[in-house]
Amino acid sequence: MNTPTAALAAGEGTAAAALDAPRQPGGPRRRRRKRIAPWVMLTPAGLVMIALTVVPIALLVLFSFTDANARTVITGAYDSVGVANYTKIFTDPEFWASLWRTLWFTAAMVAGSVLIGLVLANLLTRLGTVMRYVLTIALIFAWAMPTVASSQVWNWLFQPGYGVINWLLTQLRIFGDLTQTNWAANTWLGFLCIWLLIVWQAVPFIALTVYAAQTQVDPAYYEAARLDGASEWRIYRNVTLPFIAPSLILITILSVIWDFNVFNQIWLVTQGGPDNTTATLGVFTFKQAFVSFKIGTGAAISVVTTLILLIITGFYIRRLLRSGEDL
């Protein structure tokens, strides 16, 4: 006859044996469901990505090999022309002029926004708490303003006749009477006006990001450098810049991508004029596709622009991977 003590010992032995036994894998149906579950959950987002990204790019490539025009918009009819659109744009001097204009204007915008962003980031580290909050809020407001709204404000500021900037420059009595100056009617003044607008919008992101990176530098490095008698400029060059260099490189690559694609500000301020002298690649593409209704030609220019941006994006991704970031 079994005693209670013996029964308890037998139960503990059974439980221990169950814990020591290898875990039984699920059945084939259960394993199949576990493999499918992530794909089922990703399907809605994947379908949206395909509808909004892959399909438009596929249509863009398709139309770049056709003679799509205004007739296509109404009837949907078009004919294949092979690589004629690409041959046409590569032999068009206006395409190369707009590409060259885009490259140097992008370089000017990136250089200006990064340099001013660095100065403001350094200023944020030296301000008191209240002034730092005030400047940070002002930067966020400037950053949050939509490009269309800020472009309209810019047009009012530089308006001939009653523009505030024209009036202020006239009051300086250095450049003469500028109250009737139409900035959009002059190539270089138009570029200057657009440059100021885009840099003003780009600086907040760069300043706040660099400031965040700069605050991660150990203050002990600064104290040691000052004890050694280093000047502030030398401390910034030899201590701060090496620490913020990875962030600065990523910001610069992102700025190149964003500024290369600028369209709204240029179109709303000068519309590419006068005589297309401020028309960058984006404006040139828009005019070809939706003003002249040479949709096939516009699609071919867009494909070339996309390939250029893919090359730049490749550098950005390579830099991300080298810095240890996840995609």
Side-chain angles (χ1 to χ4, degrees), residues 51-286:
L52 298 181
T53 306
V54 178
V55 172
I57 291 177
L59 289 174
L60 185 73
V61 175
L62 171 66
F63 280 119
S64 71
F65 294 102
T66 70
D67 64 347
N69 50 29
R71 174 177 60 94
T72 308
V73 176
I74 300 172
T75 64
Y78 56 82
D79 295 316
S80 173
V81 295
V83 296
N85 287 327
Y86 291 95
T87 305
K88 181 181 177 183
I89 63 171
F90 287 136
T91 55
D92 184 359
E94 186 59 31
F95 167 77
W96 293 107
S98 62
L99 178 60
W100 169 245
R101 210 175 288 132
T102 304
L103 291 175
W104 75 257
F105 195 45
T106 299
M109 289 186 290
V110 171
S113 53
V114 170
L115 284 176
I116 297 174
L118 284 174
V119 171
L120 283 180
N122 200 35
L123 179 63
L124 282 169
T125 62
R126 296 169 184 272
L127 290 176
T129 304
V130 175
M131 288 306 298
R132 188 168 63 249
Y133 282 149
V134 170
L135 182 56
T136 302
I137 292 170
L139 289 172
I140 291 174
F141 272 116
W143 187 23
M145 186 175 287
T147 56
V148 175
S150 56
S151 299
Q152 290 301 327
V153 171
W154 227 251
N155 284 332
W156 295 335
L157 290 173
F158 291 87
Q159 183 78 23
Y162 53 86
V164 175
I165 300 297
N166 289 2
W167 179 80
L168 286 174
L169 290 174
T170 302
Q171 297 307 308
L172 292 176
R173 302 183 187 282
I174 297 175
F175 307 103
D177 186 1
L178 298 178
T179 51
Q180 299 300 326
T181 300
N182 184 1
W183 292 63
N186 180 281
T187 300
W188 295 107
L189 290 181
F191 266 127
L192 177 60
C193 186
I194 297 166
W195 183 87
L196 290 170
L197 171 60
I198 294 172
V199 169
W200 175 75
Q201 291 180 312
V203 159
F205 170 75
I206 297 172
L208 294 175
T209 306
V210 173
Y211 168 68
Q214 202 165 331
T215 55
Q216 302 304 310
V217 182
D218 191 342
Y221 291 108
Y222 293 123
E223 294 174 9
R226 290 191 178 100
L227 286 175
D228 289 341
S231 64
E232 290 301 316
W233 165 244
R234 190 168 182 184
I235 292 173
Y236 186 78
R237 190 184 61 187
N238 294 340
V239 178
T240 306
L241 277 181
F243 273 99
I244 66 173
S247 302
L248 195 58
I249 292 172
L250 292 179
I251 290 170
T252 303
I253 297 173
L254 279 177
S255 297
V256 170
I257 295 171
W258 292 336
D259 291 344
F260 197 92
N261 275 322
V262 165
F263 170 79
N264 289 346
Q265 295 90 332
I266 299 174
W267 185 254
L268 291 170
V269 173
T270 65
Q271 296 189 340
D275 298 328
N276 289 328
T277 51
T278 60
T280 56
L281 213 48
V283 176
F284 180 62
T285 305
F286 180 81

Side-chain angles (χ1 to χ4, degrees), residues 2-20:
N2 292 335
T3 64
T5 305
L8 181 61
E12 291 176 351
T14 305
L19 289 174
D20 293 338

